[in-house]
Structures are given as structure tokens and as C-alpha cells.
DNA sequence: CCGAGTCAGTTGGATTTTCCAACTAACCTG
DNA sequence: CAGGTTAGTTGGAAAATCCAACTGACTCGG
């Protein structure tokens, strides 16, 4: 039996970065979402464009669907075929893809030619991340740990 | 032999998102970088706080070091011990962690209490991503594919 | 100087994931 | 009806990960 009042000192940090990676950090998940962001919605094309094997892709799409990140929309009755579309949650993954693409195009350049990205205004991808509250730019190191939170709002009962 | 002038129609999309995931997308890599962002620099603590097994963590840290994302700094001569620190490249991963944390704290809330994040101004994490060029906010769908690029700058010779 | 503890890994073997090519099922097209 | 498209599923091999234990080089307390 375990004692619920004691803190497990060796437990990994339960934070929202780790929670997000549970869903988005599995192999191929972000690439599948990239495809949907770019307007590709069908299984075969997503498989081709990502390079994921079909069985794993099936698994990832189910996970993303179960977590509410994407939804399956039927586009054919008789052979019952579906398209995969981003939900609101899935569309909001965009900043992650944007940050990743920007980091990578700065730091991962090599001889191999790769597709770059740009903003819809036509400019090369160069995102700036601001704090919505104070308007200041997020600098490395300006990300700090906050309090523990769960669904009904911050739970002050649990010992910090 | 393959013909270099022909496009492989079935090849996965070579883009900077995929390239970034090569380095940052491996299991535990982003969590290790999270720890360094939060000021944790030693092997045992990183292992504990992430939950990664020690052998895999060793491998990830080596990969990140080889890719220039982190560096090993010696802090003890005689038992030859090292700390892991972010390079400039590693520090610039922050926007990815910030976007991920923000997405997750919006969409991944459940009963389990998790550490949240905040900006150094004290406010809850609420990042806004703007295009540095036009100043407009990045909306889902405003991320578009750009031209192919490699190291010496955009190579106009390759057939699009 | 002995035993315990810390730190940063390494090792071996079990377990889990992923890969891959082939297969199915249900249609459509010529 | 032969062939193609679409969205998977299957089975077995290969690769990645997990885990607990071990090593080596120290430090510290007594």
C-alpha cells in the first residue's frame, strides 16, 4: 500500500509540456497535423507526405481523434470513406508548428533542400512570441513554473 | 541507379518541420531541454525530473550536443563531471516549449494536477505569435509552404 | 582507512514500438 | 470484367525503449 499523504520525491515533473507531448509527441503526430494544416485530409496522401507507415498512421489518427485534436468527416457513403480535419484544438497547434519551423530553418540548415514556410503576408517565416498580458517578448528564461492546476481551476488543497 | 532529374512522386515532404523533429522530436529530448530551461543541468536530476531511463537520456544528450543544441561544461576535474547547458540554439527552443505549454494548458486539462507555466511578468502563460514582418497575428492557416532552401541560400536551379 | 553515499554513466535482457510488404474489402472506371 | 483507388488490417522482422543492476571515480563521516 502507498501513503497518499507522502510526496513521491522521485516522480517526474507533471507539467503541461509533458502532457502535451503525450498527444503531440508521438512519432508522426505533428507531421500528420502539418498535412491537415496544409489542406491534405485523406489517409493515403497523409501517409505519403509524412512517410509514416500505414498502420502507425492509423493508430496516431485514432489517438488524435480520441483526444479531440482532429475529427473524421465522412465524404463517401458507400465505400464509407472519411477525411481527417483539424478541430479548433487541432488548428491551435499551429503556433507549435510555426515555432518549430522557424527554429529549424534557423538552426537546421544543411545541403539538403527543404521546403520552407512563410506567413500569408508573403514574408519569410519569422515569428515573434509576446506575452498577451504585458506585451513583452518572451525571451529564453522568461518561461517560469507556475502553480499546479487541474480541471475545476487551481486546487489549493493539495500540498504544493 | 536513379535518375536525378526525376522527381520521386512518393517521397515524403522534406520540410523544416520534419527536420526539426529529427532532433527535437525524439522521445525525452524536449523534456530534457525543458529541464535545462528551468535551470536543471545535471544528469541525475534531468533523469529524475523527466522520467527518462538513463541510457536513453545519455543518447539524447549526445544527439543534442552533436546537433549544437546543448553543450557539456565541465564542473569537476577529478571525477570529471559535466553539466548540460543550452547553447544559443537550445535557448531558442523556448518558443516551441511555450507554444506547447500554452496549447496543452488550454486543451489537455483533466483531473490530474499539473505544473502550469507563466511569463516572467507574473501573468499566466498566454503567448501571441506575430509575423515579425507585417506585425499581424499568425492565425491557423496563415502558415504556408515557401520555396525550397538549403545552406548557401535559396537554390533556384532545382526544378520546383 | 572503512563503509556509505553521490554522480554519471554502461550493460544485458525483456518489453514495446515501429517498419514493411502484402493482403482485404468495397467500391469506381474503361 | 480487368485494373485502379481508397482505407485500412495483418504478420513477422527490426529497431527503440525500459529497467534494474553494475561500474568507476570520487567525497564524506567517523
Amino acid at each position: 500500500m502507498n501513503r497518499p499523504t507522502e510526496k513521491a520525491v522521485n516522480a517526474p515533473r507533471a507539467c503541461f509540456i509533458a502532457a502535451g507531448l503525450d498527444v503531440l509527441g508521438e512519432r508522426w503526430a505533428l507531421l500528420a497535423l502539418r498535412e491537415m494544416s496544409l489542406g491534405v485530409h485523406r489517409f493515403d496522401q497523409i501517409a505519403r507526405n509524412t512517410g509514416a507507415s500505414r498502420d502507425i498512421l492509423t493508430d496516431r489518427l485514432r489517438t488524435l481523434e480520441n483526444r479531440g485534436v482532429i475529427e473524421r468527416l465522412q465524404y463517401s457513403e458507400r465505400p464509407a470513406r472519411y477525411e481527417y480535419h483539424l478541430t479548433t484544438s487541432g488548428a491551435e497547434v499551429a503556433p507549435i508548428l510555426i515555432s518549430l519551423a522557424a527554429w529549424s530553418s534557423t538552426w537546421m540548415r544543411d545541403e539538403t533542400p527543404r521546403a520552407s514556410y512563410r506567413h500569408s503576408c508573403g514574408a519569410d517565416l519569422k515569428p515573434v512570441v509576446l506575452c498577451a498580458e504585458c506585451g513583452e517578448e518572451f525571451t529564453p528564461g522568461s518561461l517560469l513554473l507556475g502553480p499546479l492546476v487541474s480541471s475545476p481551476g487551481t486546487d489549493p488543497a493539495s500540498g504544493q
Side-chain angles (χ1 to χ4, degrees), chain A residues 60-77:
Chain A
R60 289 304 173 272
L61 294 172
R62 294 294 170 274
T63 300
L64 291 171
E65 191 191 359
N66 292 337
R67 300 306 211 100
V69 182
I70 63 175
E71 57 191 341
R72 276 193 333 158
L73 302 178
Q74 192 159 25
Y75 73 90
S76 159
E77 281 273 326

Side-chain angles (χ1 to χ4, degrees), chain A residues 12-25 67:
Chain A
R13 214 188 277 282
C15 79
F16 280 105
I17 293 176
L21 287 172
D22 267 6
V23 181
L24 305 181
R67 300 306 211 100

